[in-house]
Amino acid sequence: MSRVIFKIIFSFIILVFLQIYVLNNIQFLGYANPYLYILFILILPLETPKWLLLLMGFIMGYVIDYFSFTIGLHISATVLIAYLRPKVIHIVVPKLEPGPEVKISIKQLGFKSFLLYTGILVFVHHLVLFFVEIFKLSNFFETLKHASISSFLTILLIIIGQYLFYSKKK
């Protein structure tokens, strides 16, 4: 149990530092940023209680907001995906039962299910983040394009990371 907690804390720290010091300074196509830090919420153990998911989403969002000098943008988006996560898992993989061996990864869910699960939550996160940031619908299609490109980049980084760090052991 303490090993699981250590891995969660370690992944939190690594993803925060990677987001703040590397990814926040990168802009693809002039305005698209990958937000890899949400991987923390996506890969939390399946048996994580809902209240803890929301709390971890709030803490992660708060830390990113603090270092990005934004107020509540990332909190709102990460708490929403933390709230939606159990519902999306149930829809994408309805027969997945919580257990100590169940990890949310490509290896466990399979590529198609993991891509669908990740794609839904990442896109929702980015839509909320960008629409709360701009706070108007006059640039709806531009914001949608921004969210789509950033979502694609984030999902691509998540998939690459899954294959690098969670590869199948023979």
PDB file of all heavy atoms in Angstrom, residues 134-153:
ATOM      1  N   ILE A 134     -11.137  32.090 -22.054  1.00  0.00           N
ATOM      2  CA  ILE A 134     -11.575  33.161 -22.952  1.00  0.00           C
ATOM      3  C   ILE A 134     -12.891  33.777 -22.474  1.00  0.00           C
ATOM      4  O   ILE A 134     -13.143  34.950 -22.686  1.00  0.00           O
ATOM      5  CB  ILE A 134     -11.670  32.671 -24.412  1.00  0.00           C
ATOM      6  CG1 ILE A 134     -11.684  33.845 -25.345  1.00  0.00           C
ATOM      7  CG2 ILE A 134     -12.864  31.796 -24.624  1.00  0.00           C
ATOM      8  CD1 ILE A 134     -11.339  33.486 -26.760  1.00  0.00           C
ATOM      9  N   PHE A 135     -13.738  33.003 -21.841  1.00  0.00           N
ATOM     10  CA  PHE A 135     -14.988  33.420 -21.201  1.00  0.00           C
ATOM     11  C   PHE A 135     -15.943  34.170 -22.131  1.00  0.00           C
ATOM     12  O   PHE A 135     -16.598  35.113 -21.737  1.00  0.00           O
ATOM     13  CB  PHE A 135     -14.693  34.246 -19.950  1.00  0.00           C
ATOM     14  CG  PHE A 135     -15.780  34.133 -18.910  1.00  0.00           C
ATOM     15  CD1 PHE A 135     -16.005  32.937 -18.273  1.00  0.00           C
ATOM     16  CD2 PHE A 135     -16.572  35.209 -18.605  1.00  0.00           C
ATOM     17  CE1 PHE A 135     -17.001  32.821 -17.319  1.00  0.00           C
ATOM     18  CE2 PHE A 135     -17.582  35.106 -17.657  1.00  0.00           C
ATOM     19  CZ  PHE A 135     -17.788  33.908 -17.017  1.00  0.00           C
ATOM     20  N   LYS A 136     -15.962  33.747 -23.381  1.00  0.00           N
ATOM     21  CA  LYS A 136     -16.968  34.271 -24.312  1.00  0.00           C
ATOM     22  C   LYS A 136     -17.107  33.281 -25.467  1.00  0.00           C
ATOM     23  O   LYS A 136     -16.193  32.531 -25.782  1.00  0.00           O
ATOM     24  CB  LYS A 136     -16.614  35.655 -24.821  1.00  0.00           C
ATOM     25  CG  LYS A 136     -15.294  35.777 -25.531  1.00  0.00           C
ATOM     26  CD  LYS A 136     -15.024  37.218 -25.913  1.00  0.00           C
ATOM     27  CE  LYS A 136     -13.624  37.341 -26.457  1.00  0.00           C
ATOM     28  NZ  LYS A 136     -13.298  38.697 -26.826  1.00  0.00           N
ATOM     29  N   LEU A 137     -18.280  33.303 -26.076  1.00  0.00           N
ATOM     30  CA  LEU A 137     -18.550  32.375 -27.162  1.00  0.00           C
ATOM     31  C   LEU A 137     -18.366  33.006 -28.538  1.00  0.00           C
ATOM     32  O   LEU A 137     -18.595  32.355 -29.551  1.00  0.00           O
ATOM     33  CB  LEU A 137     -19.978  31.827 -27.038  1.00  0.00           C
ATOM     34  CG  LEU A 137     -20.214  30.889 -25.858  1.00  0.00           C
ATOM     35  CD1 LEU A 137     -21.674  30.493 -25.796  1.00  0.00           C
ATOM     36  CD2 LEU A 137     -19.336  29.662 -25.942  1.00  0.00           C
ATOM     37  N   SER A 138     -17.929  34.253 -28.584  1.00  0.00           N
ATOM     38  CA  SER A 138     -17.783  34.910 -29.880  1.00  0.00           C
ATOM     39  C   SER A 138     -16.702  34.256 -30.743  1.00  0.00           C
ATOM     40  O   SER A 138     -16.791  34.276 -31.960  1.00  0.00           O
ATOM     41  CB  SER A 138     -17.485  36.395 -29.694  1.00  0.00           C
ATOM     42  OG  SER A 138     -16.256  36.572 -29.024  1.00  0.00           O
ATOM     43  N   ASN A 139     -15.703  33.685 -30.129  1.00  0.00           N
ATOM     44  CA  ASN A 139     -14.640  32.979 -30.862  1.00  0.00           C
ATOM     45  C   ASN A 139     -14.794  31.469 -30.693  1.00  0.00           C
ATOM     46  O   ASN A 139     -13.819  30.755 -30.490  1.00  0.00           O
ATOM     47  CB  ASN A 139     -13.270  33.413 -30.363  1.00  0.00           C
ATOM     48  CG  ASN A 139     -12.977  34.856 -30.653  1.00  0.00           C
ATOM     49  OD1 ASN A 139     -13.558  35.436 -31.558  1.00  0.00           O
ATOM     50  ND2 ASN A 139     -12.084  35.442 -29.879  1.00  0.00           N
ATOM     51  N   PHE A 140     -16.025  30.990 -30.804  1.00  0.00           N
ATOM     52  CA  PHE A 140     -16.319  29.583 -30.537  1.00  0.00           C
ATOM     53  C   PHE A 140     -15.468  28.635 -31.373  1.00  0.00           C
ATOM     54  O   PHE A 140     -14.835  27.722 -30.842  1.00  0.00           O
ATOM     55  CB  PHE A 140     -17.807  29.307 -30.780  1.00  0.00           C
ATOM     56  CG  PHE A 140     -18.181  27.870 -30.574  1.00  0.00           C
ATOM     57  CD1 PHE A 140     -18.367  27.379 -29.295  1.00  0.00           C
ATOM     58  CD2 PHE A 140     -18.316  27.004 -31.655  1.00  0.00           C
ATOM     59  CE1 PHE A 140     -18.700  26.048 -29.090  1.00  0.00           C
ATOM     60  CE2 PHE A 140     -18.641  25.672 -31.464  1.00  0.00           C
ATOM     61  CZ  PHE A 140     -18.843  25.193 -30.175  1.00  0.00           C
ATOM     62  N   PHE A 141     -15.432  28.834 -32.676  1.00  0.00           N
ATOM     63  CA  PHE A 141     -14.728  27.899 -33.553  1.00  0.00           C
ATOM     64  C   PHE A 141     -13.207  27.996 -33.388  1.00  0.00           C
ATOM     65  O   PHE A 141     -12.513  26.988 -33.486  1.00  0.00           O
ATOM     66  CB  PHE A 141     -15.154  28.097 -35.011  1.00  0.00           C
ATOM     67  CG  PHE A 141     -16.566  27.678 -35.239  1.00  0.00           C
ATOM     68  CD1 PHE A 141     -17.554  28.620 -35.462  1.00  0.00           C
ATOM     69  CD2 PHE A 141     -16.917  26.342 -35.198  1.00  0.00           C
ATOM     70  CE1 PHE A 141     -18.874  28.232 -35.649  1.00  0.00           C
ATOM     71  CE2 PHE A 141     -18.227  25.936 -35.382  1.00  0.00           C
ATOM     72  CZ  PHE A 141     -19.211  26.887 -35.607  1.00  0.00           C
ATOM     73  N   GLU A 142     -12.713  29.182 -33.127  1.00  0.00           N
ATOM     74  CA  GLU A 142     -11.276  29.345 -32.876  1.00  0.00           C
ATOM     75  C   GLU A 142     -10.873  28.640 -31.577  1.00  0.00           C
ATOM     76  O   GLU A 142      -9.851  27.962 -31.505  1.00  0.00           O
ATOM     77  CB  GLU A 142     -10.923  30.842 -32.813  1.00  0.00           C
ATOM     78  CG  GLU A 142      -9.449  31.118 -32.703  1.00  0.00           C
ATOM     79  CD  GLU A 142      -8.660  30.734 -33.952  1.00  0.00           C
ATOM     80  OE1 GLU A 142      -9.227  30.710 -35.055  1.00  0.00           O
ATOM     81  OE2 GLU A 142      -7.460  30.435 -33.805  1.00  0.00           O
ATOM     82  N   THR A 143     -11.698  28.773 -30.556  1.00  0.00           N
ATOM     83  CA  THR A 143     -11.434  28.115 -29.274  1.00  0.00           C
ATOM     84  C   THR A 143     -11.564  26.605 -29.420  1.00  0.00           C
ATOM     85  O   THR A 143     -10.775  25.849 -28.856  1.00  0.00           O
ATOM     86  CB  THR A 143     -12.387  28.643 -28.190  1.00  0.00           C
ATOM     87  OG1 THR A 143     -12.281  30.063 -28.133  1.00  0.00           O
ATOM     88  CG2 THR A 143     -12.051  28.062 -26.839  1.00  0.00           C
ATOM     89  N   LEU A 144     -12.538  26.164 -30.197  1.00  0.00           N
ATOM     90  CA  LEU A 144     -12.708  24.731 -30.449  1.00  0.00           C
ATOM     91  C   LEU A 144     -11.491  24.165 -31.179  1.00  0.00           C
ATOM     92  O   LEU A 144     -11.013  23.071 -30.860  1.00  0.00           O
ATOM     93  CB  LEU A 144     -13.984  24.493 -31.249  1.00  0.00           C
ATOM     94  CG  LEU A 144     -14.406  23.055 -31.462  1.00  0.00           C
ATOM     95  CD1 LEU A 144     -14.696  22.374 -30.145  1.00  0.00           C
ATOM     96  CD2 LEU A 144     -15.635  23.008 -32.363  1.00  0.00           C
ATOM     97  N   LYS A 145     -10.973  24.902 -32.150  1.00  0.00           N
ATOM     98  CA  LYS A 145      -9.767  24.489 -32.870  1.00  0.00           C
ATOM     99  C   LYS A 145      -8.573  24.415 -31.922  1.00  0.00           C
ATOM    100  O   LYS A 145      -7.819  23.435 -31.936  1.00  0.00           O
ATOM    101  CB  LYS A 145      -9.485  25.464 -34.013  1.00  0.00           C
ATOM    102  CG  LYS A 145      -8.286  25.090 -34.869  1.00  0.00           C
ATOM    103  CD  LYS A 145      -8.201  26.019 -36.068  1.00  0.00           C
ATOM    104  CE  LYS A 145      -6.981  26.877 -35.932  1.00  0.00           C
ATOM    105  NZ  LYS A 145      -6.765  27.774 -37.060  1.00  0.00           N
ATOM    106  N   HIS A 146      -8.430  25.422 -31.085  1.00  0.00           N
ATOM    107  CA  HIS A 146      -7.353  25.473 -30.094  1.00  0.00           C
ATOM    108  C   HIS A 146      -7.434  24.259 -29.169  1.00  0.00           C
ATOM    109  O   HIS A 146      -6.433  23.579 -28.915  1.00  0.00           O
ATOM    110  CB  HIS A 146      -7.499  26.778 -29.306  1.00  0.00           C
ATOM    111  CG  HIS A 146      -6.400  27.073 -28.374  1.00  0.00           C
ATOM    112  ND1 HIS A 146      -5.851  28.321 -28.253  1.00  0.00           N
ATOM    113  CD2 HIS A 146      -5.736  26.312 -27.473  1.00  0.00           C
ATOM    114  CE1 HIS A 146      -4.921  28.314 -27.344  1.00  0.00           C
ATOM    115  NE2 HIS A 146      -4.838  27.110 -26.852  1.00  0.00           N
ATOM    116  N   ALA A 147      -8.637  23.980 -28.657  1.00  0.00           N
ATOM    117  CA  ALA A 147      -8.834  22.839 -27.755  1.00  0.00           C
ATOM    118  C   ALA A 147      -8.566  21.518 -28.468  1.00  0.00           C
ATOM    119  O   ALA A 147      -7.976  20.601 -27.885  1.00  0.00           O
ATOM    120  CB  ALA A 147     -10.247  22.863 -27.190  1.00  0.00           C
ATOM    121  N   SER A 148      -8.974  21.413 -29.716  1.00  0.00           N
ATOM    122  CA  SER A 148      -8.780  20.167 -30.474  1.00  0.00           C
ATOM    123  C   SER A 148      -7.303  19.884 -30.723  1.00  0.00           C
ATOM    124  O   SER A 148      -6.837  18.749 -30.524  1.00  0.00           O
ATOM    125  CB  SER A 148      -9.517  20.232 -31.808  1.00  0.00           C
ATOM    126  OG  SER A 148     -10.888  20.378 -31.608  1.00  0.00           O
ATOM    127  N   ILE A 149      -6.565  20.891 -31.156  1.00  0.00           N
ATOM    128  CA  ILE A 149      -5.137  20.688 -31.425  1.00  0.00           C
ATOM    129  C   ILE A 149      -4.379  20.394 -30.136  1.00  0.00           C
ATOM    130  O   ILE A 149      -3.546  19.478 -30.084  1.00  0.00           O
ATOM    131  CB  ILE A 149      -4.540  21.905 -32.164  1.00  0.00           C
ATOM    132  CG1 ILE A 149      -5.153  22.018 -33.560  1.00  0.00           C
ATOM    133  CG2 ILE A 149      -3.027  21.800 -32.272  1.00  0.00           C
ATOM    134  CD1 ILE A 149      -4.825  23.302 -34.291  1.00  0.00           C
ATOM    135  N   SER A 150      -4.692  21.118 -29.080  1.00  0.00           N
ATOM    136  CA  SER A 150      -4.036  20.872 -27.790  1.00  0.00           C
ATOM    137  C   SER A 150      -4.399  19.488 -27.254  1.00  0.00           C
ATOM    138  O   SER A 150      -3.554  18.798 -26.683  1.00  0.00           O
ATOM    139  CB  SER A 150      -4.420  21.945 -26.773  1.00  0.00           C
ATOM    140  OG  SER A 150      -3.873  23.186 -27.133  1.00  0.00           O
ATOM    141  N   SER A 151      -5.644  19.074 -27.447  1.00  0.00           N
ATOM    142  CA  SER A 151      -6.067  17.730 -27.022  1.00  0.00           C
ATOM    143  C   SER A 151      -5.302  16.661 -27.783  1.00  0.00           C
ATOM    144  O   SER A 151      -4.837  15.680 -27.199  1.00  0.00           O
ATOM    145  CB  SER A 151      -7.564  17.539 -27.251  1.00  0.00           C
ATOM    146  OG  SER A 151      -8.309  18.379 -26.437  1.00  0.00           O
ATOM    147  N   PHE A 152      -5.187  16.845 -29.096  1.00  0.00           N
ATOM    148  CA  PHE A 152      -4.441  15.882 -29.909  1.00  0.00           C
ATOM    149  C   PHE A 152      -3.000  15.754 -29.412  1.00  0.00           C
ATOM    150  O   PHE A 152      -2.488  14.640 -29.258  1.00  0.00           O
ATOM    151  CB  PHE A 152      -4.471  16.289 -31.386  1.00  0.00           C
ATOM    152  CG  PHE A 152      -3.631  15.411 -32.249  1.00  0.00           C
ATOM    153  CD1 PHE A 152      -4.061  14.151 -32.611  1.00  0.00           C
ATOM    154  CD2 PHE A 152      -2.374  15.835 -32.687  1.00  0.00           C
ATOM    155  CE1 PHE A 152      -3.270  13.317 -33.400  1.00  0.00           C
ATOM    156  CE2 PHE A 152      -1.574  15.018 -33.475  1.00  0.00           C
ATOM    157  CZ  PHE A 152      -2.024  13.751 -33.826  1.00  0.00           C
ATOM    158  N   LEU A 153      -2.344  16.885 -29.161  1.00  0.00           N
ATOM    159  CA  LEU A 153      -0.960  16.856 -28.682  1.00  0.00           C
ATOM    160  C   LEU A 153      -0.854  16.191 -27.307  1.00  0.00           C
ATOM    161  O   LEU A 153       0.069  15.411 -27.055  1.00  0.00           O
ATOM    162  CB  LEU A 153      -0.381  18.269 -28.624  1.00  0.00           C
ATOM    163  CG  LEU A 153      -0.167  18.949 -29.966  1.00  0.00           C
ATOM    164  CD1 LEU A 153       0.217  20.405 -29.774  1.00  0.00           C
ATOM    165  CD2 LEU A 153       0.892  18.219 -30.773  1.00  0.00           C
TER     166      LEU A 153
END
